Amino acid sequence: MAKQLDKAAQREKIARRAEKEIESGFYVNLGIGMPTMVANYISENKEMVLQSENGLLGIGRYPYEDEVNPDLINAGKETVTAAVGSAYCDSAESFGMIRGEHLDLAILGGMEVSEAGDLANWMIPGKMIKGMGGAMDIVHGAKKIVIIMDHVNKHGEPKILKQCSLPLTGKGVVDRIITERAVIDVTDKGLELVELADGWTVEEIKESTEAELKVSPNLLETAY
């Protein structure tokens, strides 16, 4: 069954579904980690631009071995390719784009999301971190925030909660959550289940989600 996918296949499944959020004409920021995988699945029929906080406007897919340029990296220090027509700038100008609300969409990772759309994705207390990065700017600067993450943590506990327990990146900033199990929208009336992944049922999604879920009357079953 689809729910028995290994970790790599599961993350590919999430990234492929997240690609559908991107529309032609969009300027998009992909967060560190799983979100960077989305770049590999963007349709050739879409004309859009990927932006990175470290100053690259026009990120391409991950490079093949013979294309690797150690000086060409994304915000997560991963080697990338540059799309045709790409441009380079300093971080100040890059964050000017973000804070000036020029991003149509940001696809970010998440540790926890609350039923009010609060996001925690930058640290776990007591663990060493390199810094908060640009997420706190991005969640307030982008026009739409989509979070992609595993539905439960390594202990099988829900990551979609009534309230976040980890330090927040932003309050009420999330618009949509995509996991390997479901797509859930954050609305004024709470969380709404809008899509089921192949092999999962509404009851199973509710059981693995701490926050209360409303089911959309237009629910798409086995949507991805």
PDB file of all heavy atoms in Angstrom, residues 182-220:
ATOM      1  N   ALA A 182      -2.008  13.692   3.928  1.00  0.00           N
ATOM      2  CA  ALA A 182      -3.152  14.560   3.640  1.00  0.00           C
ATOM      3  C   ALA A 182      -2.714  15.982   3.311  1.00  0.00           C
ATOM      4  O   ALA A 182      -1.575  16.376   3.572  1.00  0.00           O
ATOM      5  CB  ALA A 182      -4.101  14.592   4.843  1.00  0.00           C
ATOM      6  N   VAL A 183      -3.660  16.728   2.746  1.00  0.00           N
ATOM      7  CA  VAL A 183      -3.519  18.174   2.571  1.00  0.00           C
ATOM      8  C   VAL A 183      -4.578  18.838   3.444  1.00  0.00           C
ATOM      9  O   VAL A 183      -5.760  18.491   3.367  1.00  0.00           O
ATOM     10  CB  VAL A 183      -3.699  18.597   1.099  1.00  0.00           C
ATOM     11  CG1 VAL A 183      -3.616  20.124   0.968  1.00  0.00           C
ATOM     12  CG2 VAL A 183      -2.641  17.929   0.221  1.00  0.00           C
ATOM     13  N   ILE A 184      -4.131  19.759   4.286  1.00  0.00           N
ATOM     14  CA  ILE A 184      -5.015  20.409   5.256  1.00  0.00           C
ATOM     15  C   ILE A 184      -4.872  21.917   5.122  1.00  0.00           C
ATOM     16  O   ILE A 184      -3.757  22.445   5.117  1.00  0.00           O
ATOM     17  CB  ILE A 184      -4.647  19.978   6.691  1.00  0.00           C
ATOM     18  CG1 ILE A 184      -4.857  18.467   6.860  1.00  0.00           C
ATOM     19  CG2 ILE A 184      -5.457  20.757   7.720  1.00  0.00           C
ATOM     20  CD1 ILE A 184      -4.283  17.897   8.134  1.00  0.00           C
ATOM     21  N   ASP A 185      -5.983  22.609   5.008  1.00  0.00           N
ATOM     22  CA  ASP A 185      -5.983  24.072   4.921  1.00  0.00           C
ATOM     23  C   ASP A 185      -6.268  24.696   6.282  1.00  0.00           C
ATOM     24  O   ASP A 185      -7.055  24.164   7.070  1.00  0.00           O
ATOM     25  CB  ASP A 185      -7.038  24.552   3.918  1.00  0.00           C
ATOM     26  CG  ASP A 185      -6.590  24.408   2.475  1.00  0.00           C
ATOM     27  OD1 ASP A 185      -5.385  24.193   2.247  1.00  0.00           O
ATOM     28  OD2 ASP A 185      -7.452  24.494   1.578  1.00  0.00           O
ATOM     29  N   VAL A 186      -5.604  25.820   6.526  1.00  0.00           N
ATOM     30  CA  VAL A 186      -5.878  26.607   7.723  1.00  0.00           C
ATOM     31  C   VAL A 186      -6.899  27.673   7.341  1.00  0.00           C
ATOM     32  O   VAL A 186      -6.639  28.506   6.472  1.00  0.00           O
ATOM     33  CB  VAL A 186      -4.600  27.266   8.269  1.00  0.00           C
ATOM     34  CG1 VAL A 186      -4.915  28.052   9.544  1.00  0.00           C
ATOM     35  CG2 VAL A 186      -3.522  26.220   8.543  1.00  0.00           C
ATOM     36  N   THR A 187      -8.063  27.638   7.963  1.00  0.00           N
ATOM     37  CA  THR A 187      -9.135  28.577   7.643  1.00  0.00           C
ATOM     38  C   THR A 187      -9.516  29.381   8.888  1.00  0.00           C
ATOM     39  O   THR A 187      -9.066  29.087  10.001  1.00  0.00           O
ATOM     40  CB  THR A 187     -10.384  27.847   7.116  1.00  0.00           C
ATOM     41  OG1 THR A 187     -11.069  27.225   8.221  1.00  0.00           O
ATOM     42  CG2 THR A 187     -10.019  26.781   6.092  1.00  0.00           C
ATOM     43  N   ASP A 188     -10.381  30.361   8.699  1.00  0.00           N
ATOM     44  CA  ASP A 188     -10.867  31.169   9.821  1.00  0.00           C
ATOM     45  C   ASP A 188     -11.660  30.333  10.811  1.00  0.00           C
ATOM     46  O   ASP A 188     -11.824  30.716  11.973  1.00  0.00           O
ATOM     47  CB  ASP A 188     -11.738  32.320   9.313  1.00  0.00           C
ATOM     48  CG  ASP A 188     -10.943  33.344   8.508  1.00  0.00           C
ATOM     49  OD1 ASP A 188      -9.711  33.390   8.694  1.00  0.00           O
ATOM     50  OD2 ASP A 188     -11.549  34.070   7.697  1.00  0.00           O
ATOM     51  N   LYS A 189     -12.159  29.199  10.348  1.00  0.00           N
ATOM     52  CA  LYS A 189     -12.976  28.338  11.204  1.00  0.00           C
ATOM     53  C   LYS A 189     -12.213  27.102  11.677  1.00  0.00           C
ATOM     54  O   LYS A 189     -12.804  26.152  12.180  1.00  0.00           O
ATOM     55  CB  LYS A 189     -14.246  27.919  10.456  1.00  0.00           C
ATOM     56  CG  LYS A 189     -15.148  29.098  10.100  1.00  0.00           C
ATOM     57  CD  LYS A 189     -16.398  28.638   9.370  1.00  0.00           C
ATOM     58  CE  LYS A 189     -17.299  29.813   9.026  1.00  0.00           C
ATOM     59  NZ  LYS A 189     -18.524  29.393   8.294  1.00  0.00           N
ATOM     60  N   GLY A 190     -10.881  27.112  11.502  1.00  0.00           N
ATOM     61  CA  GLY A 190     -10.072  25.986  11.949  1.00  0.00           C
ATOM     62  C   GLY A 190      -9.461  25.223  10.785  1.00  0.00           C
ATOM     63  O   GLY A 190      -9.429  25.707   9.645  1.00  0.00           O
ATOM     64  N   LEU A 191      -8.979  24.030  11.052  1.00  0.00           N
ATOM     65  CA  LEU A 191      -8.316  23.209  10.041  1.00  0.00           C
ATOM     66  C   LEU A 191      -9.337  22.414   9.232  1.00  0.00           C
ATOM     67  O   LEU A 191     -10.275  21.844   9.788  1.00  0.00           O
ATOM     68  CB  LEU A 191      -7.332  22.246  10.705  1.00  0.00           C
ATOM     69  CG  LEU A 191      -6.192  22.877  11.504  1.00  0.00           C
ATOM     70  CD1 LEU A 191      -5.277  21.805  12.083  1.00  0.00           C
ATOM     71  CD2 LEU A 191      -5.383  23.840  10.629  1.00  0.00           C
ATOM     72  N   GLU A 192      -9.113  22.376   7.926  1.00  0.00           N
ATOM     73  CA  GLU A 192     -10.030  21.666   7.035  1.00  0.00           C
ATOM     74  C   GLU A 192      -9.260  20.664   6.190  1.00  0.00           C
ATOM     75  O   GLU A 192      -8.308  21.026   5.480  1.00  0.00           O
ATOM     76  CB  GLU A 192     -10.764  22.654   6.129  1.00  0.00           C
ATOM     77  CG  GLU A 192     -11.785  21.992   5.223  1.00  0.00           C
ATOM     78  CD  GLU A 192     -12.574  22.994   4.395  1.00  0.00           C
ATOM     79  OE1 GLU A 192     -11.942  23.846   3.743  1.00  0.00           O
ATOM     80  OE2 GLU A 192     -13.814  22.920   4.398  1.00  0.00           O
ATOM     81  N   LEU A 193      -9.658  19.423   6.256  1.00  0.00           N
ATOM     82  CA  LEU A 193      -9.066  18.355   5.452  1.00  0.00           C
ATOM     83  C   LEU A 193      -9.599  18.459   4.031  1.00  0.00           C
ATOM     84  O   LEU A 193     -10.802  18.320   3.808  1.00  0.00           O
ATOM     85  CB  LEU A 193      -9.412  16.999   6.065  1.00  0.00           C
ATOM     86  CG  LEU A 193      -8.925  15.759   5.328  1.00  0.00           C
ATOM     87  CD1 LEU A 193      -7.415  15.696   5.286  1.00  0.00           C
ATOM     88  CD2 LEU A 193      -9.502  14.502   6.000  1.00  0.00           C
ATOM     89  N   VAL A 194      -8.688  18.701   3.065  1.00  0.00           N
ATOM     90  CA  VAL A 194      -9.149  18.915   1.690  1.00  0.00           C
ATOM     91  C   VAL A 194      -8.699  17.822   0.721  1.00  0.00           C
ATOM     92  O   VAL A 194      -9.315  17.634  -0.322  1.00  0.00           O
ATOM     93  CB  VAL A 194      -8.687  20.293   1.159  1.00  0.00           C
ATOM     94  CG1 VAL A 194      -9.350  21.419   1.937  1.00  0.00           C
ATOM     95  CG2 VAL A 194      -7.163  20.438   1.190  1.00  0.00           C
ATOM     96  N   GLU A 195      -7.638  17.079   1.077  1.00  0.00           N
ATOM     97  CA  GLU A 195      -7.177  15.990   0.209  1.00  0.00           C
ATOM     98  C   GLU A 195      -6.662  14.833   1.059  1.00  0.00           C
ATOM     99  O   GLU A 195      -6.034  15.038   2.101  1.00  0.00           O
ATOM    100  CB  GLU A 195      -6.037  16.448  -0.717  1.00  0.00           C
ATOM    101  CG  GLU A 195      -6.441  17.452  -1.773  1.00  0.00           C
ATOM    102  CD  GLU A 195      -5.290  17.810  -2.693  1.00  0.00           C
ATOM    103  OE1 GLU A 195      -4.358  16.990  -2.851  1.00  0.00           O
ATOM    104  OE2 GLU A 195      -5.293  18.923  -3.247  1.00  0.00           O
ATOM    105  N   LEU A 196      -6.912  13.622   0.590  1.00  0.00           N
ATOM    106  CA  LEU A 196      -6.353  12.421   1.197  1.00  0.00           C
ATOM    107  C   LEU A 196      -5.306  11.838   0.263  1.00  0.00           C
ATOM    108  O   LEU A 196      -5.529  11.742  -0.946  1.00  0.00           O
ATOM    109  CB  LEU A 196      -7.433  11.374   1.424  1.00  0.00           C
ATOM    110  CG  LEU A 196      -8.423  11.563   2.574  1.00  0.00           C
ATOM    111  CD1 LEU A 196      -9.439  10.429   2.542  1.00  0.00           C
ATOM    112  CD2 LEU A 196      -7.694  11.593   3.903  1.00  0.00           C
ATOM    113  N   ALA A 197      -4.177  11.434   0.818  1.00  0.00           N
ATOM    114  CA  ALA A 197      -3.184  10.725   0.021  1.00  0.00           C
ATOM    115  C   ALA A 197      -3.632   9.286  -0.175  1.00  0.00           C
ATOM    116  O   ALA A 197      -4.443   8.753   0.594  1.00  0.00           O
ATOM    117  CB  ALA A 197      -1.824  10.770   0.705  1.00  0.00           C
ATOM    118  N   ASP A 198      -3.105   8.654  -1.198  1.00  0.00           N
ATOM    119  CA  ASP A 198      -3.465   7.285  -1.543  1.00  0.00           C
ATOM    120  C   ASP A 198      -3.244   6.342  -0.357  1.00  0.00           C
ATOM    121  O   ASP A 198      -2.170   6.332   0.249  1.00  0.00           O
ATOM    122  CB  ASP A 198      -2.620   6.833  -2.744  1.00  0.00           C
ATOM    123  CG  ASP A 198      -3.039   5.471  -3.260  1.00  0.00           C
ATOM    124  OD1 ASP A 198      -4.206   5.107  -3.084  1.00  0.00           O
ATOM    125  OD2 ASP A 198      -2.183   4.778  -3.841  1.00  0.00           O
ATOM    126  N   GLY A 199      -4.266   5.571  -0.016  1.00  0.00           N
ATOM    127  CA  GLY A 199      -4.141   4.562   1.030  1.00  0.00           C
ATOM    128  C   GLY A 199      -4.576   5.000   2.405  1.00  0.00           C
ATOM    129  O   GLY A 199      -4.599   4.187   3.338  1.00  0.00           O
ATOM    130  N   TRP A 200      -4.921   6.274   2.584  1.00  0.00           N
ATOM    131  CA  TRP A 200      -5.305   6.785   3.899  1.00  0.00           C
ATOM    132  C   TRP A 200      -6.801   7.100   3.950  1.00  0.00           C
ATOM    133  O   TRP A 200      -7.409   7.457   2.944  1.00  0.00           O
ATOM    134  CB  TRP A 200      -4.494   8.031   4.242  1.00  0.00           C
ATOM    135  CG  TRP A 200      -3.036   7.739   4.395  1.00  0.00           C
ATOM    136  CD1 TRP A 200      -2.071   7.817   3.444  1.00  0.00           C
ATOM    137  CD2 TRP A 200      -2.386   7.265   5.580  1.00  0.00           C
ATOM    138  NE1 TRP A 200      -0.842   7.436   3.949  1.00  0.00           N
ATOM    139  CE2 TRP A 200      -1.008   7.083   5.264  1.00  0.00           C
ATOM    140  CE3 TRP A 200      -2.831   6.973   6.872  1.00  0.00           C
ATOM    141  CZ2 TRP A 200      -0.082   6.631   6.201  1.00  0.00           C
ATOM    142  CZ3 TRP A 200      -1.901   6.515   7.813  1.00  0.00           C
ATOM    143  CH2 TRP A 200      -0.546   6.351   7.472  1.00  0.00           C
ATOM    144  N   THR A 201      -7.367   6.989   5.147  1.00  0.00           N
ATOM    145  CA  THR A 201      -8.782   7.290   5.337  1.00  0.00           C
ATOM    146  C   THR A 201      -8.941   8.531   6.212  1.00  0.00           C
ATOM    147  O   THR A 201      -8.004   8.938   6.904  1.00  0.00           O
ATOM    148  CB  THR A 201      -9.506   6.118   6.026  1.00  0.00           C
ATOM    149  OG1 THR A 201      -9.004   5.984   7.368  1.00  0.00           O
ATOM    150  CG2 THR A 201      -9.292   4.821   5.266  1.00  0.00           C
ATOM    151  N   VAL A 202     -10.129   9.109   6.179  1.00  0.00           N
ATOM    152  CA  VAL A 202     -10.429  10.275   7.017  1.00  0.00           C
ATOM    153  C   VAL A 202     -10.217   9.929   8.485  1.00  0.00           C
ATOM    154  O   VAL A 202      -9.629  10.716   9.245  1.00  0.00           O
ATOM    155  CB  VAL A 202     -11.872  10.754   6.781  1.00  0.00           C
ATOM    156  CG1 VAL A 202     -12.252  11.827   7.803  1.00  0.00           C
ATOM    157  CG2 VAL A 202     -12.030  11.301   5.367  1.00  0.00           C
ATOM    158  N   GLU A 203     -10.655   8.757   8.904  1.00  0.00           N
ATOM    159  CA  GLU A 203     -10.533   8.350  10.301  1.00  0.00           C
ATOM    160  C   GLU A 203      -9.070   8.260  10.719  1.00  0.00           C
ATOM    161  O   GLU A 203      -8.696   8.683  11.822  1.00  0.00           O
ATOM    162  CB  GLU A 203     -11.218   6.993  10.518  1.00  0.00           C
ATOM    163  CG  GLU A 203     -12.737   7.032  10.420  1.00  0.00           C
ATOM    164  CD  GLU A 203     -13.248   7.247   8.986  1.00  0.00           C
ATOM    165  OE1 GLU A 203     -12.509   6.896   8.029  1.00  0.00           O
ATOM    166  OE2 GLU A 203     -14.361   7.783   8.836  1.00  0.00           O
ATOM    167  N   GLU A 204      -8.218   7.735   9.843  1.00  0.00           N
ATOM    168  CA  GLU A 204      -6.795   7.617  10.168  1.00  0.00           C
ATOM    169  C   GLU A 204      -6.135   8.993  10.277  1.00  0.00           C
ATOM    170  O   GLU A 204      -5.260   9.201  11.130  1.00  0.00           O
ATOM    171  CB  GLU A 204      -6.088   6.774   9.102  1.00  0.00           C
ATOM    172  CG  GLU A 204      -6.430   5.294   9.186  1.00  0.00           C
ATOM    173  CD  GLU A 204      -5.868   4.506   8.019  1.00  0.00           C
ATOM    174  OE1 GLU A 204      -5.851   5.033   6.880  1.00  0.00           O
ATOM    175  OE2 GLU A 204      -5.438   3.361   8.239  1.00  0.00           O
ATOM    176  N   ILE A 205      -6.534   9.919   9.428  1.00  0.00           N
ATOM    177  CA  ILE A 205      -5.974  11.273   9.489  1.00  0.00           C
ATOM    178  C   ILE A 205      -6.381  11.941  10.797  1.00  0.00           C
ATOM    179  O   ILE A 205      -5.553  12.575  11.475  1.00  0.00           O
ATOM    180  CB  ILE A 205      -6.433  12.123   8.290  1.00  0.00           C
ATOM    181  CG1 ILE A 205      -6.030  11.461   6.971  1.00  0.00           C
ATOM    182  CG2 ILE A 205      -5.842  13.528   8.383  1.00  0.00           C
ATOM    183  CD1 ILE A 205      -4.572  11.141   6.835  1.00  0.00           C
ATOM    184  N   LYS A 206      -7.635  11.809  11.178  1.00  0.00           N
ATOM    185  CA  LYS A 206      -8.106  12.409  12.428  1.00  0.00           C
ATOM    186  C   LYS A 206      -7.387  11.803  13.635  1.00  0.00           C
ATOM    187  O   LYS A 206      -7.039  12.513  14.587  1.00  0.00           O
ATOM    188  CB  LYS A 206      -9.616  12.226  12.566  1.00  0.00           C
ATOM    189  CG  LYS A 206     -10.430  13.119  11.640  1.00  0.00           C
ATOM    190  CD  LYS A 206     -11.924  12.983  11.919  1.00  0.00           C
ATOM    191  CE  LYS A 206     -12.727  13.988  11.109  1.00  0.00           C
ATOM    192  NZ  LYS A 206     -14.181  13.904  11.400  1.00  0.00           N
ATOM    193  N   GLU A 207      -7.149  10.490  13.603  1.00  0.00           N
ATOM    194  CA  GLU A 207      -6.474   9.816  14.714  1.00  0.00           C
ATOM    195  C   GLU A 207      -5.024  10.276  14.866  1.00  0.00           C
ATOM    196  O   GLU A 207      -4.488  10.279  15.973  1.00  0.00           O
ATOM    197  CB  GLU A 207      -6.518   8.304  14.511  1.00  0.00           C
ATOM    198  CG  GLU A 207      -7.886   7.681  14.726  1.00  0.00           C
ATOM    199  CD  GLU A 207      -7.936   6.219  14.355  1.00  0.00           C
ATOM    200  OE1 GLU A 207      -6.868   5.680  13.950  1.00  0.00           O
ATOM    201  OE2 GLU A 207      -9.020   5.616  14.443  1.00  0.00           O
ATOM    202  N   SER A 208      -4.386  10.670  13.761  1.00  0.00           N
ATOM    203  CA  SER A 208      -2.981  11.071  13.805  1.00  0.00           C
ATOM    204  C   SER A 208      -2.806  12.588  13.825  1.00  0.00           C
ATOM    205  O   SER A 208      -1.705  13.095  13.611  1.00  0.00           O
ATOM    206  CB  SER A 208      -2.228  10.475  12.608  1.00  0.00           C
ATOM    207  OG  SER A 208      -2.834  10.854  11.377  1.00  0.00           O
ATOM    208  N   THR A 209      -3.887  13.306  14.094  1.00  0.00           N
ATOM    209  CA  THR A 209      -3.867  14.762  14.169  1.00  0.00           C
ATOM    210  C   THR A 209      -4.466  15.188  15.506  1.00  0.00           C
ATOM    211  O   THR A 209      -5.612  14.849  15.804  1.00  0.00           O
ATOM    212  CB  THR A 209      -4.694  15.391  13.024  1.00  0.00           C
ATOM    213  OG1 THR A 209      -4.215  14.893  11.774  1.00  0.00           O
ATOM    214  CG2 THR A 209      -4.596  16.909  13.041  1.00  0.00           C
ATOM    215  N   GLU A 210      -3.687  15.912  16.322  1.00  0.00           N
ATOM    216  CA  GLU A 210      -4.208  16.321  17.630  1.00  0.00           C
ATOM    217  C   GLU A 210      -5.287  17.391  17.500  1.00  0.00           C
ATOM    218  O   GLU A 210      -6.291  17.371  18.194  1.00  0.00           O
ATOM    219  CB  GLU A 210      -3.071  16.854  18.503  1.00  0.00           C
ATOM    220  CG  GLU A 210      -3.542  17.273  19.890  1.00  0.00           C
ATOM    221  CD  GLU A 210      -2.471  18.002  20.669  1.00  0.00           C
ATOM    222  OE1 GLU A 210      -1.705  17.313  21.366  1.00  0.00           O
ATOM    223  OE2 GLU A 210      -2.407  19.255  20.572  1.00  0.00           O
ATOM    224  N   ALA A 211      -5.059  18.345  16.594  1.00  0.00           N
ATOM    225  CA  ALA A 211      -6.017  19.431  16.393  1.00  0.00           C
ATOM    226  C   ALA A 211      -7.305  18.899  15.772  1.00  0.00           C
ATOM    227  O   ALA A 211      -7.305  17.887  15.071  1.00  0.00           O
ATOM    228  CB  ALA A 211      -5.410  20.509  15.501  1.00  0.00           C
ATOM    229  N   GLU A 212      -8.393  19.607  16.030  1.00  0.00           N
ATOM    230  CA  GLU A 212      -9.681  19.218  15.452  1.00  0.00           C
ATOM    231  C   GLU A 212      -9.676  19.479  13.950  1.00  0.00           C
ATOM    232  O   GLU A 212      -9.177  20.499  13.482  1.00  0.00           O
ATOM    233  CB  GLU A 212     -10.813  20.009  16.104  1.00  0.00           C
ATOM    234  CG  GLU A 212     -12.193  19.614  15.606  1.00  0.00           C
ATOM    235  CD  GLU A 212     -13.302  20.395  16.273  1.00  0.00           C
ATOM    236  OE1 GLU A 212     -13.027  21.080  17.274  1.00  0.00           O
ATOM    237  OE2 GLU A 212     -14.450  20.315  15.794  1.00  0.00           O
ATOM    238  N   LEU A 213     -10.206  18.537  13.194  1.00  0.00           N
ATOM    239  CA  LEU A 213     -10.251  18.637  11.742  1.00  0.00           C
ATOM    240  C   LEU A 213     -11.684  18.644  11.239  1.00  0.00           C
ATOM    241  O   LEU A 213     -12.481  17.779  11.605  1.00  0.00           O
ATOM    242  CB  LEU A 213      -9.530  17.449  11.092  1.00  0.00           C
ATOM    243  CG  LEU A 213      -8.029  17.508  10.863  1.00  0.00           C
ATOM    244  CD1 LEU A 213      -7.585  16.221  10.186  1.00  0.00           C
ATOM    245  CD2 LEU A 213      -7.642  18.704  10.027  1.00  0.00           C
ATOM    246  N   LYS A 214     -12.001  19.611  10.413  1.00  0.00           N
ATOM    247  CA  LYS A 214     -13.254  19.573   9.669  1.00  0.00           C
ATOM    248  C   LYS A 214     -12.955  18.940   8.309  1.00  0.00           C
ATOM    249  O   LYS A 214     -11.862  19.102   7.775  1.00  0.00           O
ATOM    250  CB  LYS A 214     -13.829  20.980   9.486  1.00  0.00           C
ATOM    251  CG  LYS A 214     -14.206  21.691  10.782  1.00  0.00           C
ATOM    252  CD  LYS A 214     -14.789  23.052  10.482  1.00  0.00           C
ATOM    253  CE  LYS A 214     -15.246  23.745  11.760  1.00  0.00           C
ATOM    254  NZ  LYS A 214     -14.111  24.080  12.643  1.00  0.00           N
ATOM    255  N   VAL A 215     -13.899  18.238   7.763  1.00  0.00           N
ATOM    256  CA  VAL A 215     -13.712  17.583   6.464  1.00  0.00           C
ATOM    257  C   VAL A 215     -14.410  18.413   5.397  1.00  0.00           C
ATOM    258  O   VAL A 215     -15.600  18.725   5.507  1.00  0.00           O
ATOM    259  CB  VAL A 215     -14.269  16.149   6.474  1.00  0.00           C
ATOM    260  CG1 VAL A 215     -14.074  15.500   5.105  1.00  0.00           C
ATOM    261  CG2 VAL A 215     -13.589  15.324   7.558  1.00  0.00           C
ATOM    262  N   SER A 216     -13.664  18.771   4.355  1.00  0.00           N
ATOM    263  CA  SER A 216     -14.235  19.564   3.274  1.00  0.00           C
ATOM    264  C   SER A 216     -15.348  18.793   2.574  1.00  0.00           C
ATOM    265  O   SER A 216     -15.214  17.585   2.328  1.00  0.00           O
ATOM    266  CB  SER A 216     -13.153  19.928   2.255  1.00  0.00           C
ATOM    267  OG  SER A 216     -13.712  20.482   1.088  1.00  0.00           O
ATOM    268  N   PRO A 217     -16.437  19.467   2.222  1.00  0.00           N
ATOM    269  CA  PRO A 217     -17.491  18.796   1.451  1.00  0.00           C
ATOM    270  C   PRO A 217     -17.005  18.400   0.063  1.00  0.00           C
ATOM    271  O   PRO A 217     -17.629  17.561  -0.604  1.00  0.00           O
ATOM    272  CB  PRO A 217     -18.605  19.843   1.384  1.00  0.00           C
ATOM    273  CG  PRO A 217     -17.913  21.158   1.607  1.00  0.00           C
ATOM    274  CD  PRO A 217     -16.783  20.867   2.528  1.00  0.00           C
ATOM    275  N   ASN A 218     -15.890  19.014  -0.357  1.00  0.00           N
ATOM    276  CA  ASN A 218     -15.300  18.704  -1.669  1.00  0.00           C
ATOM    277  C   ASN A 218     -14.007  17.908  -1.532  1.00  0.00           C
ATOM    278  O   ASN A 218     -13.104  18.036  -2.353  1.00  0.00           O
ATOM    279  CB  ASN A 218     -15.043  20.011  -2.426  1.00  0.00           C
ATOM    280  CG  ASN A 218     -16.296  20.825  -2.646  1.00  0.00           C
ATOM    281  OD1 ASN A 218     -17.322  20.301  -3.082  1.00  0.00           O
ATOM    282  ND2 ASN A 218     -16.244  22.112  -2.324  1.00  0.00           N
ATOM    283  N   LEU A 219     -13.930  17.104  -0.481  1.00  0.00           N
ATOM    284  CA  LEU A 219     -12.718  16.331  -0.207  1.00  0.00           C
ATOM    285  C   LEU A 219     -12.300  15.492  -1.412  1.00  0.00           C
ATOM    286  O   LEU A 219     -13.114  14.772  -1.997  1.00  0.00           O
ATOM    287  CB  LEU A 219     -12.964  15.395   0.991  1.00  0.00           C
ATOM    288  CG  LEU A 219     -11.816  14.457   1.349  1.00  0.00           C
ATOM    289  CD1 LEU A 219     -10.628  15.222   1.901  1.00  0.00           C
ATOM    290  CD2 LEU A 219     -12.304  13.414   2.364  1.00  0.00           C
ATOM    291  N   LEU A 220     -11.008  15.607  -1.778  1.00  0.00           N
ATOM    292  CA  LEU A 220     -10.438  14.784  -2.843  1.00  0.00           C
ATOM    293  C   LEU A 220      -9.800  13.552  -2.205  1.00  0.00           C
ATOM    294  O   LEU A 220      -8.843  13.673  -1.428  1.00  0.00           O
ATOM    295  CB  LEU A 220      -9.402  15.571  -3.638  1.00  0.00           C
ATOM    296  CG  LEU A 220      -9.908  16.788  -4.408  1.00  0.00           C
ATOM    297  CD1 LEU A 220      -8.739  17.517  -5.075  1.00  0.00           C
ATOM    298  CD2 LEU A 220     -10.923  16.367  -5.446  1.00  0.00           C
TER     299      LEU A 220
END
